[in-house]
Amino acid sequence: RKEVEQDPGPFNVPEGATVAFNCTYSNSASQSFFWYRQDCRKEPKLLMSVYSSGNEDGRFTAQLNRASQYISLLIRDSKLSDSATYLCVPRGFQKLVFGTGTRLLVSP
Amino acid sequence: DVKVTQSSRYLVKRTGEKVFLECVQDMDHENMFWYRQDPGLGLRLIYFSYDVKMKEKGDIPEGYSVSREKKERFSLILESASTNQTSMYLCASTGGGRASEAFFGQGTRLTVV
């Protein structure tokens, strides 16, 4: 089993839609979790951190399910500018392994 | 403003050349990482270092080596570049705690011809 798994997508949604991505992880010792956003030909940048059950920041909500070992990212009222690849990374010990990312395309 | 700086944005090298990719961070971070990113494969960990002179293999270390002589600098070395090492290379650093986020350099697009 891969350390981190994500559906690569793409998820094609219209503006204003709500969309959710999941990310499963295999290391049960992971303590914290991060969602990164990566635009085409750019480096990843931090979107959200999750340390307990979840976190909310405006239109973005991240939920953690430790029992099933997955984290989710919910985006409400999608904007064209949300089009990007979303990467999840569980933070355990020193090693930092990213998922392959989920590509989101928001259309007018 | 925190910074991770990679020495080059674009590089073109010939097959068989020795290639050095440099990464410098100014955040006094303990951990530094080298990834390569290819379409459909995501970010794959090549090597990481959790302290000066310490290194650990990631998931795809073959054909690469690393050097960390100073805390702020982590170098990736391609001993003999091959065309299958054409890729985007990303350096990242984090602090020591498990809650510490990763900061990335801008990436180096390496083409081996």
Side-chain angles (χ1 to χ4, degrees), chain A residues 32-48:
Chain A
S32 53
F33 304 84
F34 301 93
W35 281 102
Y36 281 78
R37 173 199 167 116
Q38 186 175 25
D39 295 301
C40 191
R41 297 185 177 274
K42 300 274 190 175
E43 73 274 22
K45 295 202 173 163
L46 182 68
L47 177 67
M48 293 186 77

Side-chain angles (χ1 to χ4, degrees), chain B residues 3-67:
Chain B
K3 253 193 175 162
V4 180
T5 305
Q6 293 182 228
S7 51
S8 307
R9 287 297 300 272
Y10 301 94
L11 269 181
V12 180
K13 295 291 182 181
R14 295 191 181 279
T15 302
E17 273 194 83
K18 191 168 185 175
V19 181
F20 292 86
L21 302 183
E22 306 284 345
C23 176
V24 178
Q25 50 95 3
D26 65 1
M27 296 164 282
D28 200 35
H29 279 171
E30 286 83 358
N31 307 310
M32 297 187 75
F33 306 82
W34 274 107
Y35 299 89
R36 63 177 284 176
Q37 187 171 33
D38 302 286
L41 297 177
L43 281 160
R44 292 184 291 166
L45 182 62
I46 304 172
Y47 267 97
F48 65 103
S49 167
Y50 53 88
D51 202 351
V52 176
K53 297 193 186 294
M54 304 303 288
K55 60 184 179 184
E56 292 282 345
K57 292 181 180 179
D59 298 318
I60 52 163
E62 297 79 18
Y64 303 94
S65 62
V66 290
S67 171

Side-chain angles (χ1 to χ4, degrees), chain A residues 21-80:
Chain A
F21 319 129
N22 276 349
C23 168
T24 59
Y25 61 95
S26 62
N27 184 358
S28 58
S30 298
Q31 298 289 313
S32 53
F33 304 84
F34 301 93
W35 281 102
Y36 281 78
R37 173 199 167 116
Q38 186 175 25
D39 295 301
C40 191
R41 297 185 177 274
K42 300 274 190 175
E43 73 274 22
K45 295 202 173 163
L46 182 68
L47 177 67
M48 293 186 77
S49 311
V50 184
Y51 303 117
S52 55
S53 61
N55 192 10
E56 186 171 330
D57 183 5
R59 298 183 294 109
F60 298 85
T61 300
Q63 293 278 351
L64 169 61
N65 185 317
R66 285 192 187 273
S68 301
Q69 292 186 207
Y70 74 85
I71 53 173
S72 62
L73 179 68
L74 180 80
I75 305 175
R76 289 180 295 276
D77 188 23
S78 298
K79 312 288 185 193
L80 295 176

Side-chain angles (χ1 to χ4, degrees), chain A residues 30-32 34 89-94 96, chain B residues 31 94-98 100:
Chain A
S30 298
Q31 298 289 313
S32 53
F34 301 93
V89 54
R91 187 80 202 274
F93 299 98
Q94 289 124 349
L96 201 62
Chain B
N31 307 310
T94 71
R98 294 181 190 178
S100 177

